[in-house]
Amino acid sequence: QVQLVPSGGGLVQAGGSLRLSCAASGRTFGRGVMGWFRQAPGREREFVSVINWGDGASYSADSIKGRFTISRDNAKNTMYLQMNSLSPEDTAVYYCAAAPRLSFYGDASRLSTWYEYDNWGPGLQVTVST
């Protein structure tokens, strides 16, 4: 099991920036991938970005490319999501998740599928105002 503690959500004006953090710990931490998902009211959970904990390789949804950047700090056991040029369409609850048994270099479709991740942190509300 991996324990995940996210932080950094909040309210920001359109065009602004926020950085989300997700501190990880646990017996199986350090393997596999970690990712960010989001869910807006009335919508399904949506993939945002994923990072391979070992080598830092990452993959992101087209909707956020060029605006959001995923990263991790091995020394701090923390994953980040830097979100720039935010728009009201980015308003959602954001979740960090970990999949210690999922290979970044395996079936790519699994990386963006929320039920492939078996460890989840509590959601962070991100609200972007006009």
Side-chain angles (χ1 to χ4, degrees):
Q1 284 290 338
V2 178
Q3 290 75 48
L4 302 173
V5 180
S7 60
L11 173 66
V12 64
Q13 286 190 327
S17 298
L18 277 176
R19 189 176 80 158
L20 307 182
S21 301
C22 182
S25 62
R27 186 171 62 86
T28 56
F29 173 70
R31 302 195 294 265
V33 302
M34 290 183 65
W36 291 97
F37 290 78
R38 66 186 183 183
Q39 189 165 18
R43 300 183 66 175
E44 293 187 355
R45 192 165 297 191
E46 175 189 22
F47 167 75
V48 176
S49 194
V50 60
I51 192 165
N52 189 31
W53 196 260
D55 64 8
S58 64
Y59 165 70
S60 297
D62 289 341
S63 61
I64 60 90
K65 281 182 180 176
R67 300 189 300 123
F68 294 8
T69 302
I70 191 171
S71 63
R72 93 278 191 245
D73 185 328
N74 291 51
K76 296 181 178 180
N77 293 343
T78 301
M79 174 179 66
Y80 303 97
L81 186 68
Q82 177 67 43
M83 305 187 294
N84 300 326
S85 302
L86 285 161
S87 73
E89 289 69 35
D90 296 315
T91 294
V93 176
Y94 284 70
Y95 297 91
C96 61
R101 294 183 296 271
L102 191 58
S103 172
F104 186 87
Y105 297 105
D107 182 350
S109 66
R110 298 180 67 188
L111 299 176
S112 58
T113 304
W114 68 267
Y115 52 78
E116 294 286 355
Y117 292 72
D118 40 18
N119 301 276
W120 290 83
L124 289 173
Q125 179 66 49
V126 171
T127 303
V128 184
S129 63
T130 55

